Amino acid sequence: MTRRPNAALEVAIDELRAFGCAAYECVGLTLEDATTVVDVQLDADLRGVDTHGFQRLPWYVEHLWANRNNRCPRFEVLRESPGSVLLDADNALGQLACVRLVERLIPKAAANGLAVGATRNSNDWGCGAYYPRLAASAGFLCFATTTSVPTLAPYGTRTRVLGNNPMVFAVPRGDHPPVVLDMALTPVALGKVMRAMAENEPIPAEWGFLDTEGRPTTDASAALAGIIPAVGGYKGTGLAFMMNILGGVLPGGAHGSAVGPGHRGQFMLLVSPGLFGETGVFLEGMESAVMQVKAAERLPGGDGPYLPGELEERRGAEALARGTIRYQRSVAQDLSTMAESLGIEPPAELRRLT
Amino acid sequence: MTRRPNAALEVAIDELRAFGCAAYECVGLTLEDATTVVDVQLDADLRGVDTHGFQRLPWYVEHLWANRNNRCPRFEVLRESPGSVLLDADNALGQLACVRLVERLIPKAAANGLAVGATRNSNDWGCGAYYPRLAASAGFLCFATTTSVPTLAPYGTRTRVLGNNPMVFAVPRGDHPPVVLDMALTPVALGKVMRAMAENEPIPAEWGFLDTEGRPTTDASAALAGIIPAVGGYKGTGLAFMMNILGGVLPGGAHGSAVGPGHRGQFMLLVSPGLFGETGVFLEGMESAVMQVKAAERLPGGDGPYLPGELEERRGAEALARGTIRYQRSVAQDLSTMAESLGIEPPAELRRLT
């Protein structure tokens, strides 16, 4: 079989899972914790959110190896009530902290109708859609947010004190996958600006970036050094402030400019669809709301309409049916190199690279 | 004292309050209910949100007079738990329904640490900032949203099935007024587009309006007939979908294209700042978060930085200190006409108009 040198590699999901677990066990995670983190990261790859998938595996392994993250975190419940729990994540990987938090919140929401949880001393949660989807697959509506390193300046200023804190909502739909909105607070992913900078291309003026003096700019490096716009201007930075309160101040953790590795926080709310009535009635209402969106008339030349998260869901189903995830050759090469340095067996498809 | 014919009129707040209560009593509200509605509406005027203040008083009075709103609503608790309540608002004014909901949620949040409430068969809540501020002045963090009549099309379509559903957050600050973010999901208030249409002026392309064929337009009437943009494109319409679920589907009320007079719904979450730790620690954290924003370096030529809601708060304090609210002559004239038709005494300043 001949290959184009830059063609993506198709790697079997089962082999990836075993490989990821082996890598994390190598640097000291328990098999249970390794499995949890791998599930979150592969799920991102499955759904096409590849910036949060195994592309980052070598990076996380490196962090654990260097003890920048805690390999054996002792999660401590700092405060608990029938409807709430506060978890000290002890510098665990954010994926681990967030899954453990949802696991504790689900029985509370089941018993109580609603539950609120938070973490402190946590880390980057990776692809945030995972945790509310976990709650939704257990039958609950879920909202979640996280603090993140400061990249946004309060409206009208140039000092970066607020994170581009994502907001995630997931709502169950009975037999169908949940509807999932996972959104950071900038209208344009910063990765696109970085790519423009790497390729020496201007960025569109409509993206709304300003230089450090507050002047509109189409220069990618001036934009990255300057003021990153938030959705809706002061509305987006206002949301960033509020998410900073929920994920940082309320749990008593780091907030604003103090947010960094080992000092992130997450906030989650779970609500039972039966809190105000019969769950069956809620699910009928959801189908009606979904139908209204799907029946909306498409604009000329467009596609869709799509529900929030529908495209990711479709990609995930396709990848599962195929049984493989596609990786860029550079990512595959990094995984192969990591395997070699850890002395573990990579998936068959990656072995051919070395 | 000479007057310019179009100068704003300064009307004493105390007189306005008595006048508003008299007007609502005239059309059948109890004094208690009238006082509640007047408090909400005058608060909007005080804070400069004059589109939601007494400008609408004659309109609300007309609705009550015509029995389009229920003058003597029987609020029915449809479902209740220690941390939740669902209220059937019986086609009451939205202001009344939302205040009664917050009043029921505050003791629940105090006892339980958190509380969630909702209404169905409610109406337009007017200026949404009021209700979370009420919760915040009782010491709680609050998030609230409402359904509204469909004006937004799902992303990529031209069928209006989603409301421009506002999201409101309020966070207490001890001795200082709370921080309040009150935002609808469009980047530009539709009132600005209407004004441009009235004045035969084009609107800026950056506002992002599309005509019915999905083409960018600067023509105000084509914009109003066409596709109204949401903040961050699919992010804003995704939020509109989620708010529609919280305010419509979850409480078992009308949602999406079925939302209309007498069939709105509201959703509110209250969280105690002491849920995860000492309230004093939370309040210190808030002051630190606030200081970070206030210390951010202002862009050349700008003003601020302002906290979310700070300008409204300042306007409110100024109006209270002055003891008056300023009304455009056309609004004052409408109030005066209404007074005459109801046979009630208008405030002194308005009497001179007749």
Side-chain angles (χ1 to χ4, degrees), chain A residues 76-87 99-118 135 138-141 268-275, chain B residues 81-84 112 114 275-276:
Chain A
E76 193 183 348
V77 173
L78 297 174
R79 197 104 166 197
E80 192 167 20
S81 79
S84 69
V85 63
L86 172 64
L87 217 56
V99 171
R100 298 293 173 256
L101 182 66
V102 179
E103 287 170 349
R104 283 166 194 267
L105 287 172
I106 286 172
K108 285 179 186 288
N112 203 47
L114 70 154
V116 159
F140 301 94
L141 289 87
M268 295 188 200
L269 166 71
L270 275 67
V271 178
S272 163
L275 186 65
Chain B
S81 79
S84 68
N112 202 47
L114 70 154
L275 186 65
F276 295 135

Side-chain angles (χ1 to χ4, degrees), chain A residues 277-341:
Chain A
E278 299 310 314
T279 298
V281 174
F282 172 84
L283 293 175
E284 282 167 24
M286 270 305 291
E287 290 319 293
S288 155
V290 161
M291 279 307 299
Q292 287 188 13
V293 170
K294 296 302 287 182
E297 193 185 354
R298 179 187 297 179
L299 285 173
D303 59 354
Y306 298 110
L307 296 168
E310 184 175 352
L311 288 175
E312 290 80 4
E313 186 62 40
R314 189 186 295 178
R315 281 190 218 110
E318 286 166 2
L320 281 177
R322 212 169 52 224
T324 62
I325 293 171
R326 296 191 179 112
Y327 290 98
Q328 292 302 308
R329 191 156 279 258
S330 62
V331 174
Q333 189 64 62
D334 287 350
L335 292 173
S336 175
T337 305
M338 182 197 72
E340 203 171 355
S341 74

Side-chain angles (χ1 to χ4, degrees), chain A residues 225-291:
Chain A
I227 291 117
I228 299 169
V231 292
Y234 74 93
K235 298 186 179 187
T237 53
L239 287 172
F241 182 87
M242 292 300 171
M243 299 306 110
N244 183 49
I245 301 305
L246 293 178
V249 176
L250 184 65
H255 65 84
S257 55
V259 174
H263 296 287
R264 292 213 193 192
Q266 282 94 20
F267 172 91
M268 295 188 200
L269 166 71
L270 275 67
V271 178
S272 163
L275 186 65
F276 295 135
E278 299 310 314
T279 298
V281 174
F282 172 84
L283 293 175
E284 282 167 24
M286 270 305 291
E287 290 319 293
S288 155
V290 161
M291 279 307 299

Side-chain angles (χ1 to χ4, degrees), chain A residues 171-187:
Chain A
V171 187
R173 273 186 69 194
D175 294 338
H176 301 275
V179 185
V180 182
L181 177 68
D182 177 5
M183 53 171 273
L185 298 174
T186 52

Side-chain angles (χ1 to χ4, degrees), chain A residues 79 85-86 114 116 156-159 181 184 186 213 227 235 245 255-257 274 276 286 288-289 292 297 299-300 305, chain B residues 79 85-86 114 116 156-159 184 186 213 227 235 238 245 255-257 276-277 286 288-289 292 296-297 299-300 305:
Chain A
R79 197 104 166 197
V85 63
L86 172 64
L114 70 154
V116 159
T157 77
R158 56 181 159 201
T159 312
L181 177 68
T186 52
E213 300 304 306
I227 291 117
K235 298 186 179 187
I245 301 305
H255 65 84
S257 55
F276 295 135
M286 270 305 291
S288 155
Q292 287 188 13
E297 193 185 354
L299 285 173
Chain B
R79 198 104 164 195
V85 63
L86 172 64
L114 70 154
V116 158
T157 77
R158 58 181 157 200
T159 313
T186 51
E213 299 303 307
I227 291 116
K235 297 186 180 189
I245 302 306
H255 64 85
S257 54
F276 295 135
M286 270 305 291
S288 156
Q292 287 188 12
E297 193 184 354
L299 284 173

